[in-house]
Amino acid sequence: MARALAKKAETSTTLLEAAKKVLRQSGHSGLSTRDVAAAAGVPLSQIHYHFGSKQGLMLALFDYLNAQLLDRQNAMFHDSTLTLSQRWDRACDYLDEDISSGYVRVLQELIAASWSDPEVAKVVRAGLMGWFELIAGVARQAERELGGLGPFSTAEIAALIGGAFIGGESLYLLGAEKKGAPVRQALRRVGDAIRSAEAKSSTR
Amino acid sequence: MARALAKKAETSTTLLEAAKKVLRQSGHSGLSTRDVAAAAGVPLSQIHYHFGSKQGLMLALFDYLNAQLLDRQNAMFHDSTLTLSQRWDRACDYLDEDISSGYVRVLQELIAASWSDPEVAKVVRAGLMGWFELIAGVARQAERELGGLGPFSTAEIAALIGGAFIGGESLYLLGAEKKGAPVRQALRRVGDAIRSAEAKSSTR
DNA sequence: ACATAATTCGGTCGACCGACCGAATGCGGA
DNA sequence: TCCGCATTCGGTCGGTCGACCGAATTATGT
């Protein structure tokens, strides 16, 4: 039994990794269960056995990926030795990592899929809300350290930053940077702005 | 001939409007040429006659929509009686309009489609670059009126604002606002921030 | 009026999809 | 040992898709 369960989990993760690979290459609309099964090297019917449906596979994939990312992000934000600007720079580093690893493509595809699928939307929304709360927590830190956030509440800051990153990812995937829109560079600059706010606040 | 061309153009726009409607309801992956033809009340083969392929229809649809939006936006930004904060507020108004009219959904679907289709990406990219140049122009105005943009270049400001709006739209479609992320409210607040920068600058 | 070209139309073809099925296999507990 | 359950497997079914075709219809120019 234990062995059987181990085998089951193994096949599941093999399928999830394959799904990630196919999603990265072909997008959500170009993803077929046959492609995933072929990439995983298992028969087609295994997908329906383990996940019930194509949608079930997508849902499981989002949980699988988001858990990994949130773990990493939580570790970073709980490191209290970091200043705000250092955290921001680190977030930008992570964005670069996630782009080259293919995470960004997969997550954006799942977000886009959720526009048409309420079930997927529910899961993706719940996952993203974890991010917003994380950012809002840092915003509270910023409020204390920098002395106020102007007209913004912490929830609004979180929505703004989250939106800027999501939009930046979308634009990167579109290839906007190759046409002269310095998307990631602009996000990095925000770190500079935070740095000067920190300097001003510390010499106050 | 003139009559035939008029008829041809009429059928084309009928198909484009139908495509917009279907795209809004079912998303890009759920859009079939049959649905579009049925919604337009014309035979299926008309799509291939007028646009060559499904992709041709998508490309034509983007041009059709983006031309309308850019016209509106150009009119707004060329009205030199508006202050920066007024322009921002207006842009937020337009966002609300475009959400309820369905434009946002269609444009986001086309952006997502472009991640998998280089041809579509080329057209969408070119269209969005028009927007970035528009925003960069306003950023130059802001640079003069407010006296500098901190660490940001005008191109970076454009990328940041464009990304924030694109990301905000994506999050809105996801339903993030219903789960407590005040996406559009946060964008409005930026207008408040601009207002206080204007006040500070004028009393200088 | 007539020839020519543009447009519209119904019908169909081959390919691909997700889902499902029943049989075969592997494994643990009695 | 053998039973029962979880898992794996190949195969197929009904359905949808984009693309294409040839005929019919309409408009244009002479």
Side-chain angles (χ1 to χ4, degrees):
Chain A
M1 183 67 166
R3 188 76 163 277
L5 282 179
K7 192 80 175 290
K8 171 171 182 175
E10 189 186 335
T11 306
S12 289
T13 55
T14 302
L15 277 169
L16 289 175
E17 285 296 330
K20 177 179 139 191
K21 184 179 170 186
V22 175
L23 201 54
R24 208 169 99 187
Q25 288 178 342
S26 315
H28 178 258
S29 67
L31 177 144
S32 73
T33 53
R34 284 167 219 272
D35 285 347
V36 173
V42 304
L44 168 62
S45 45
Q46 289 293 82
I47 289 178
H48 295 94
Y49 178 76
H50 287 281
F51 302 102
S53 66
K54 181 182 179 179
Q55 192 196 57
L57 176 66
M58 292 296 109
L59 265 40
L61 179 59
F62 180 81
D63 284 337
Y64 177 68
L65 292 182
N66 206 55
Q68 293 178 18
L69 288 190
L70 267 181
D71 280 355
R72 182 189 68 182
Q73 227 75 357
N74 269 313
M76 194 258 277
F77 284 122
H78 282 58
D79 179 352
S80 53
T81 67
L82 294 173
T83 66
L84 281 170
S85 56
Q86 282 172 332
R87 287 185 209 274
W88 185 274
D89 293 344
R90 189 72 67 87
C92 290
D93 293 341
Y94 285 159
L95 177 60
D96 290 336
E97 276 180 35
D98 295 340
I99 283 176
S100 53
S101 78
Y103 272 142
V104 161
R105 174 69 191 275
V106 173
L107 290 177
Q108 287 285 326
E109 287 284 351
L110 286 170
I111 290 174
S114 72
W115 301 334
S116 301
D117 190 327
E119 289 291 317
V120 177
K122 206 174 152 187
V123 173
V124 173
R125 217 157 40 208
L128 250 48
M129 285 309 141
W131 283 82
F132 281 89
E133 287 163 21
L134 207 88
I135 305 177
V138 180
R140 278 188 288 276
Q141 178 196 353
E143 204 168 24
R144 275 182 270 109
E145 291 189 11
L146 303 178
L149 295 170
F152 301 99
S153 73
T154 53
E156 285 160 358
I157 284 282
L160 211 52
I161 292 177
F165 269 85
I166 297 287
E169 291 175 4
S170 179
L171 289 173
Y172 170 83
L173 291 175
L174 179 66
E177 287 191 349
K178 288 164 188 166
K179 294 283 281 187
V183 181
R184 283 181 292 173
Q185 186 181 321
L187 286 172
R188 294 264 179 199
R189 282 275 183 272
V190 175
D192 298 338
I194 296 176
R195 244 181 301 282
S196 34
E198 283 171 344
K200 203 186 298 181
S201 159
S202 69
T203 60
R204 207 171 25 152
Chain B
M1 184 65 164
R3 187 74 165 275
L5 282 179
K7 190 81 175 290
K8 173 172 182 175
E10 189 189 334
T11 306
S12 289
T13 54
T14 302
L15 278 168
L16 289 175
E17 285 296 329
K20 177 179 138 191
K21 184 179 169 185
V22 174
L23 203 53
R24 211 169 94 187
Q25 289 177 342
S26 316
H28 177 257
S29 67
L31 176 144
S32 74
T33 53
R34 284 168 219 273
D35 285 347
V36 173
V42 303
L44 168 62
S45 46
Q46 289 293 83
I47 289 179
H48 295 92
Y49 179 76
H50 287 282
F51 303 102
S53 66
K54 180 183 180 176
Q55 191 194 59
L57 175 66
M58 291 297 110
L59 265 42
L61 178 60
F62 180 81
D63 284 336
Y64 176 69
L65 293 183
N66 205 55
Q68 294 178 18
L69 288 190
L70 267 180
D71 278 357
R72 182 190 68 182
Q73 228 76 356
N74 267 314
M76 193 259 276
F77 283 124
H78 281 59
D79 179 352
S80 53
T81 68
L82 295 173
T83 67
L84 282 170
S85 56
Q86 282 172 333
R87 286 184 209 275
W88 185 274
D89 293 344
R90 190 72 67 86
C92 290
D93 293 340
Y94 285 159
L95 176 60
D96 289 336
E97 276 180 36
D98 295 340
I99 283 176
S100 53
S101 78
Y103 272 140
V104 160
R105 174 70 191 275
V106 173
L107 290 176
Q108 288 285 325
E109 288 285 351
L110 286 170
I111 290 173
S114 71
W115 301 335
S116 302
D117 189 328
E119 289 292 317
V120 176
K122 206 174 152 188
V123 172
V124 172
R125 218 155 40 208
L128 283 183
M129 285 310 141
W131 284 82
F132 281 90
E133 287 163 21
L134 207 89
I135 305 177
V138 180
R140 277 188 289 276
Q141 178 196 355
E143 204 169 25
R144 275 182 271 110
E145 291 189 11
L146 304 179
L149 295 171
F152 301 98
S153 73
T154 53
E156 286 161 358
I157 284 283
L160 210 53
I161 292 176
F165 269 85
I166 297 288
E169 291 176 4
S170 179
L171 289 173
Y172 170 83
L173 291 175
L174 180 65
E177 287 192 349
K178 287 163 188 167
K179 294 281 280 187
V183 181
R184 283 180 292 172
Q185 187 181 321
L187 285 172
R188 294 264 178 197
R189 282 274 184 274
V190 175
D192 297 339
I194 297 176
R195 244 182 301 283
S196 36
E198 282 171 344
K200 202 186 299 181
S201 159
S202 69
T203 60
R204 208 174 22 155

